[in-house]
Amino acid sequence: MSAASTLLSAVPNSPSSGIKTMARLGFAAIGVVYLLMGVLALLAVTGLGDGARADKKEAMKHLQDLPAGNVLLGLIAFGLLGYIIWRFTQAIRDTESKGHDAKGIIRRLSYAGSGLFYSGLALYAGRLALYSRADKGGNTSQSLTAKVLGWPGGDWLIIVVGLVVIGIAIYQVYRAYSGKFQKDVNASRLPASQQNIVYRTGQVGFTARGVVMGIIGYFLVQAGQQSRAGAVGDTGEAFDFLAAMGPAVLGTVAAGLVAYGIHMLVQAKYPVLRGI
């Protein structure tokens, strides 16, 4: 087979196969980001982090410092774009068969919301890749919260958003211990011993992610109750909150995020993509 034929065979030959490829790239990109976040937090526990904060943007900056860092950032940005496309595909085409009733619509909107959540990070990674810098706009979450607090009833809206985030965090932990996360990974292609490792890694990872999201939701509730945008915090502030509880707590959650990153990389290799 010629080199040209080999290249052509690797190119998706249908919209569905293209979406599947983008989804897998998205899972891999998220896996790398969470893996780096967890490693940064573990370095902070050991005192080797040089003051680096364990959040998504800090992870992007560390990628930039690697050889061919801008290329890696470009791949991460492209991968995150793939994840966004996949999430909107789930929402629009109802790939999970959630239906058109109120509950189904809410679930489908949550898929789109998940995609939007990563759009800012995709833009940030893209800017770093292209310009070796990103706009210094301060804390975007705090700026947005300050605007919402200025609306009539804005404080209550922020509280509701915080409670929703806490609800999602609880659902992450529920997914971990109910085993529901397994349906997204085709672990049958792995030996039995490795299947158990993947399962346990997923449990630990989803639990840690739920803990971090729960803290971020708590920050939002506090911001609404105090009508103070400065109370809002992102992943970095969540890790600061955990660090105040002691290095053992921070180290445990950090290791959990490493586990989540590894699980997402496994999902990228062995995904279950329904409805396309």
Side-chain angles (χ1 to χ4, degrees):
M1 182 183 289
S2 67
S5 299
T6 303
L7 284 173
L8 285 173
S9 66
V11 176
N13 55 14
S14 72
S16 290
S17 61
I19 291 172
K20 289 178 180 178
T21 299
M22 295 300 287
R24 294 178 69 179
L25 288 173
F27 300 147
I30 290 174
V32 170
V33 171
Y34 272 92
L35 191 60
L36 285 173
M37 283 171 52
V39 168
L40 287 174
L42 287 173
L43 289 175
V45 172
T46 60
L48 300 174
D50 295 327
R53 304 188 73 243
D55 60 18
K56 296 180 179 70
K57 291 184 178 180
E58 192 69 36
M60 295 293 102
K61 291 177 182 177
H62 275 71
L63 272 179
Q64 189 179 33
D65 294 335
L66 296 175
N70 283 5
V71 175
L72 292 173
L73 281 168
L75 291 172
I76 292 293
F78 187 71
L80 291 173
L81 175 62
Y83 183 79
I84 295 166
I85 291 172
W86 168 240
R87 281 308 209 179
F88 272 91
T89 299
Q90 286 181 301
I92 295 169
R93 295 176 56 174
D94 192 18
T95 61
E96 303 296 318
S97 301
K98 297 302 179 183
H100 295 83
D101 59 5
K103 182 179 178 180
I105 294 297
I106 290 172
R107 289 298 302 274
R108 290 165 67 180
L109 286 175
S110 72
Y111 298 145
S114 176
L116 286 174
F117 178 79
Y118 284 98
S119 61
L121 186 63
L123 287 171
Y124 185 85
R127 289 190 186 117
L128 280 180
L130 292 173
Y131 308 115
S132 296
R133 64 177 181 81
D135 297 336
K136 296 181 179 179
N139 190 312
T140 305
S141 299
Q142 290 185 2
S143 300
L144 180 59
T145 302
K147 291 180 181 179
V148 175
L149 287 173
W151 300 349
D155 51 350
W156 284 104
L157 180 57
I158 294 298
I159 290 173
V160 169
V161 172
L163 291 174
V164 169
V165 173
I166 291 172
I168 295 171
I170 293 171
Y171 180 68
Q172 295 295 305
V173 178
Y174 167 72
R175 286 193 75 195
Y177 289 94
S178 66
K180 284 184 175 293
F181 66 91
Q182 290 186 94
K183 66 185 179 69
D184 296 323
V185 178
N186 187 9
S188 62
R189 296 172 59 188
L190 295 168
S193 58
Q194 293 183 21
Q195 288 180 30
N196 186 58
I197 292 172
V198 169
Y199 177 76
R200 296 303 178 192
T201 301
Q203 276 194 317
V204 172
F206 276 94
T207 301
R209 188 168 183 249
V211 169
V212 173
M213 289 184 69
I215 295 171
I216 293 173
Y218 167 75
F219 289 154
L220 283 164
V221 171
Q222 290 292 103
Q225 289 179 334
Q226 301 171 14
S227 295
R228 184 171 64 89
V232 173
D234 56 14
T235 310
E237 279 80 19
F239 274 113
D240 292 340
F241 184 88
L242 290 166
M245 299 181 185
V249 175
L250 177 59
T252 300
V253 177
L257 288 192
V258 170
Y260 183 78
I262 292 171
H263 184 81
M264 291 303 293
L265 291 174
V266 173
Q267 185 174 342
K269 185 171 179 60
Y270 304 108
V272 175
L273 302 172
R274 291 170 289 273
I276 55 174

